[in-house]
């Protein structure tokens, strides 16, 4: 029984133990179910992520596939890759910074020029960095690719693509700046600066106000620098950046274009079209004499007021670049603005036909150039102005040689005129009036110093000395030749009375035109008095042998108290009046075309003739006119009234309009009036 109880007790204990296990299992199962639910929920949540990973796996597989190396090999190449990627990353960072400057550099520099130039300088620094490091970064990347290829750490297709990319980078690195900078940001900025440089110049380049042509030579002041200091400073700042980027030649081109255009605009008001005249457009110097006078004034104005200002401005703007640079710039401005045209006009004058007037014009040109000699040497003395120097030197040589040649040939030309017949009107030959006035000009204060200087230089080129007396002696020889010409012409007349009339005219001219002049003082009082005496002498002979004979025809012999009867007296009066009329008409007809150029001599001669004839005629007609006036044929004998006679005699010896004058009285045919040919070279002697 005891065993039964014991068994019952044991059985109960076993039953309780099973329940505990069951409860534990139940709890464990419950916990497992909860975990399963949580896991299911987590899996459900992870589904989209797994799908995403599943989608990315092919591309990751493709990216990893070229690398066919074990872990140790990849670890070994890691350091090389890091060293190559570092510079490349720095280059990319700077390149991004360059793009950050784009907005500022594409704006208008005039809004903030200092700020714009500062940003541009940063761009230049960035470009220098890229220029120094791009090649290095590419080289290191090329080394990595070569390492991967040598160690078979990537497939060939992958490496080929890398090589193509690096080759493209290398070509870009060696290419133009604008390609490397995504469209050429630097060039775009520099173009804007060039445009601003042009605008600053154009807006501040104002043509110099012109004075009236008559007062040009009176403007002694030199024009100041034509640009404000602030503008010059801006131009210099822009130049600094443009020069740093090899844009200097373009700057010079723009500057020369704008400033030379401004000078031309200043000169335009002066009407300089005559500078373009060619040698074929005029016959001789006299036809452009007015232009030569303008040329001297215009040249002085251009040099002292325009080119002087441009010279100073070039120095101000380009002084930091050195004298050779700004002098070269100024030389281009001077050449393009018209300096060469001024010199070419002078050369054209020297190429014209030779005549005495040309000598005076050559002296005018020399005087103008000599007056500006200091300015020429200072402004155009540099090596850059060699073209202007050569043209100026050639012009001076032509002027001096031409002037000296004409002067020394004047005597020959005067002597050549001796073979020409004297003027048929008995007047003063154009040659005589011309030469006397001409020699006075040469000896005057305006021309003598210039001519002396020209002859001194010309002689020095031949290593010969020149003394002032040579000039004076040559002029005296010319006057002597004129006297000899007059003697020759005096003997050439067939009519003795006309010969005396010619002598009276020319001795009067020599005396009156030279008295009180430089040439007259040189010849002396005795010479002048001699010609005055000759004038009076020939005047007396002329009157005696022509008009002095006419009054004798009105003789009263046989008419006193009509001693022979009235009819006889009438016949005698008729006869004497007819003789008087015939003699008067003959002399008047012969001398009606004769000329006395000097007004005083003409009036004196006319008065002498009138007083010698008119009173006698009046008295004769008062006493005896009644004997013939009642007849039908009275007009045949009483041909003139006293008033008509006086008027007729008073009209004698008047100069013909346009036939006489001084330097401006030459005929279009190139000959002197009254038969005297122009003083220019002939084919047989001098041209």
């Amino acid at each position: 029984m005891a065993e039964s109880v014991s068994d019952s007790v044991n059985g109960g204990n076993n039953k309780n133990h099973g329940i505990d296990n069951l409860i534990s299992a139940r709890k464990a199962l419950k916990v497992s179910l909860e975990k399963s639910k949580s896991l299911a929920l987590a899996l459900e949540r992870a589904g989209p992520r797994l799908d995403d990973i599943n989608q990315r796996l092919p591309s990751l597989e493709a990216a990893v596939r070229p690398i066919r190396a074990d872990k140790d090999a990849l670890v070994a190449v890691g350091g090389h890759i890091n060293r190559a990627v570092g510079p490349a990353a720095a280059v990319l960072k700077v390149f991004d910074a360059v793009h950050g400057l784009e907005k500022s550099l594409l704006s208008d520099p005039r809004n903030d020029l200092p700020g714009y130039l500062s940003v541009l300088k940063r761009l230049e620094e960035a470009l220098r960095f890229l220029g120094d490091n791009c090649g290095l970064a590419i080289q290191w990347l090329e080394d990595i690719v070569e390492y991967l290829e040598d160690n078979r750490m990537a497939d060939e297709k992958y490496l080929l693509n890398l090589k193509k990319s690096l080759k493209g980078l290398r070509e870009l690195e060696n290419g133009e700046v604008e390609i490397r900078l995504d469209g050429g940001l630097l060039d775009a900025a520099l173009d804007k600066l060039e445009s601003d440089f042009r605008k600053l110049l154009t807006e501040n380049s104002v043509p110099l106000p012109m004075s009236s042509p008559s007062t040009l030579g009176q403007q002694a002041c030199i024009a100041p620098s034509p640009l404000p200091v602030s503008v010059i400073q801006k131009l210099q700042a822009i130049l600094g950046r443009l020069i740093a980027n090899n844009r200097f030649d373009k700057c010079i081109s723009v500057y020369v274009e704008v400033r030379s255009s401004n000078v031309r605009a200043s000169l335009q008001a002066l009407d300089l079209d005559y500078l373009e005249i060619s040698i074929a457009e005029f016959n001789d110097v006299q036809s452009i004499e007015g232009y030569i006078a303008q040329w001297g004034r215009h040249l002085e104005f251009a040099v002292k007021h325009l080119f002087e200002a441009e010279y100073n401005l070039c120095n101000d703007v380009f002084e930091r670049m050195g004298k050779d640079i700004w002098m070269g710039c100024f030389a281009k401005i001077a050449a393009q603005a018209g300096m060469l045209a001024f010199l070419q006009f002078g050369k054209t004058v020297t190429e014209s036909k030779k005549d005495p007037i040309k000598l005076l014009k050559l002296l005018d040109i020399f005087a103008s150039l000599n007056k500006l000699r200091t300015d020429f040497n200072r402004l155009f003395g540099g090596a850059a102005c060699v073209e202007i120097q050569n043209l100026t030197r050639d012009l001076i040589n032509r002027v001096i040689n031409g002037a000296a040649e004409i002067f020394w040939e004047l005597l020959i030309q005067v002597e050549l005129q001796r073979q020409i017949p004297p003027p048929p009107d008995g007047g003063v030959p154009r040659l005589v009036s011309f030469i006397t006035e001409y020699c006075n000009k040469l000896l005057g204060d305006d021309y003598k110093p210039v001519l002396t200087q020209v002859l001194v230089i010309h002689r020095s080129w031949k290593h010969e000395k020149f003394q002032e007396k040579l000039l004076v002696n040559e002029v005296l020889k010319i006057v002597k030749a004129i006297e000899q010409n007059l003697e020759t012409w005096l003997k050439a007349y067939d009519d003795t009375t006309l010969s005396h009339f010619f002598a009276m005219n020319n001795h009067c001219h020599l005396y009156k035109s030279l008295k009180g002049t430089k040439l007259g003082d040189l010849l002396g009082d005795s010479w002048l008095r001699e010609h005055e005496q000759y004038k009076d002498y020939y005047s007396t002979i002329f009157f005696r042998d022509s008009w002095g004979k006419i009054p004798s025809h009105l003789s009263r012999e046989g008419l006193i108290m009509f001693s022979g009867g009235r009819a006889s007296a009438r016949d005698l009066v008729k006869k004497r009046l007819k003789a008087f009329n015939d003699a008067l008409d003959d002399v008047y007809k012969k001398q009606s075309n004769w000329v006395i150029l000097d007004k005083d001599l003409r009036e004196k001669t006319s008065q002498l003739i009138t007083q010698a004839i008119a009173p006698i005629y009046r008295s004769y007609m008062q006493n005896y006119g009644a004997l013939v006036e009642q007849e039908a044929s009275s007009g045949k004998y009483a041909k003139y009234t006293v008033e008509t006679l006086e008027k007729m005699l008073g009209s004698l010896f008047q100069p013909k309009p346009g036939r006489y004058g001084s330097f401006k009285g030459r005929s279009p045919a190139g000959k002197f009036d009254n038969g005297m040919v122009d003083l220019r070279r002939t084919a047989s002697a001098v041209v």
Side-chain angles (χ1 to χ4, degrees), residues 125-146:
E125 293 172 351
L127 291 178
R128 282 195 294 272
F129 176 85
L130 293 176
D132 294 340
N133 292 278
C134 280
L136 180 62
I138 293 172
Q139 182 62 52
W140 283 19
L141 291 174
E142 288 174 343
D143 291 344
I144 291 301
V145 171
E146 183 179 355

Side-chain angles (χ1 to χ4, degrees), residues 94-359:
V94 173
F95 191 73
D96 289 339
V98 167
H99 283 284
L101 303 176
E102 184 173 354
K103 182 178 179 180
S104 299
L105 292 176
L106 294 181
S107 63
D108 190 348
R110 307 184 74 179
N111 295 333
D112 180 16
L113 182 60
Y116 190 92
L117 295 175
S118 176
V119 173
L120 179 60
K121 193 171 183 180
R122 288 167 55 193
L123 174 62
E124 294 170 9
E125 293 172 351
L127 291 178
R128 282 195 294 272
F129 176 85
L130 293 176
D132 294 340
N133 292 278
C134 280
L136 180 62
I138 293 172
Q139 182 62 52
W140 283 19
L141 291 174
E142 288 174 343
D143 291 344
I144 291 301
V145 171
E146 183 179 355
Y147 182 88
L148 293 175
E149 185 178 28
D150 292 344
N151 292 276
R152 301 181 181 277
M153 300 182 69
D155 66 19
E156 294 181 358
K157 184 177 180 181
Y158 177 73
L159 292 176
L160 181 62
N161 289 335
L162 285 177
K163 287 181 178 180
K164 287 182 178 180
S165 298
L166 290 175
K167 182 180 179 181
L169 289 174
R170 180 66 73 182
E171 291 175 351
L172 291 175
E173 193 268 337
N174 293 328
E176 298 295 332
V177 174
E178 57 266 23
I179 298 177
R180 290 189 280 127
L181 294 181
D182 191 20
L185 180 59
L186 178 61
D187 271 358
L190 295 175
D191 289 342
K192 283 185 170 293
L193 279 183
E194 283 184 359
S195 177
D196 192 35
F197 186 82
R198 179 184 289 274
K199 288 178 181 178
L200 277 172
L201 276 175
T202 304
E203 293 174 359
N204 291 277
S205 295
V206 181
L208 191 64
M210 293 293 104
S211 301
S212 63
S214 60
T215 60
L216 284 181
Q218 300 173 9
Q219 296 182 342
C221 61
I222 301 300
S225 178
L227 294 184
V229 175
S230 59
V231 173
I232 293 177
Q233 292 174 343
K234 289 180 180 180
L235 293 174
Q236 289 176 333
I238 293 175
L239 279 172
R241 298 272 47 86
L242 292 176
I243 293 174
N245 290 278
N246 299 319
R247 294 284 191 106
F248 181 64
D249 290 341
K250 187 65 178 294
C251 293
I252 291 291
S253 176
V254 169
Y255 185 89
V256 170
E257 175 189 346
V258 174
R259 294 306 303 176
S260 61
S261 175
N262 188 68
V263 175
R264 287 195 300 271
S266 298
L267 291 172
Q268 188 174 5
L270 299 179
D271 189 16
L272 300 179
D273 292 343
Y274 69 87
L275 294 180
E276 305 300 327
I277 193 170
S278 67
I279 191 66
E281 295 180 68
F282 62 96
N283 294 324
D284 50 45
V285 170
Q286 266 193 286
S287 61
I288 60 168
E289 186 174 354
Y291 291 146
I292 298 173
Q294 292 181 39
W295 178 85
R297 296 193 300 270
H298 292 165
L299 177 62
E300 181 178 359
F301 179 83
V303 171
K304 286 186 173 293
H305 294 268
L306 298 178
F307 293 125
E308 173 76 25
E310 294 305 320
Y311 178 88
N312 293 331
L313 183 60
C314 284
N315 182 23
D316 292 341
V317 175
F318 298 101
E319 61 177 338
R320 299 175 184 174
M321 293 86 197
K323 186 174 182 179
D324 291 343
I325 297 298
W326 67 260
M327 278 295 292
C329 184
F330 169 71
K332 293 178 181 178
I333 292 173
Q336 295 183 19
M339 190 62 209
L340 300 182
F342 275 106
L343 298 174
Q344 180 58 46
F345 176 81
K347 180 181 178 182
T348 300
V349 174
T350 66
E351 294 173 344
S352 63
K353 296 178 180 178
K354 291 184 178 181
D355 61 35
I357 299 299
K358 181 179 178 180
L359 170 57

Side-chain angles (χ1 to χ4, degrees), residues 627-638:
L627 294 175
V628 297
E629 289 174 352
Q630 302 301 323
E631 296 188 2
S633 61
S634 62
K636 182 179 179 181
Y637 305 103

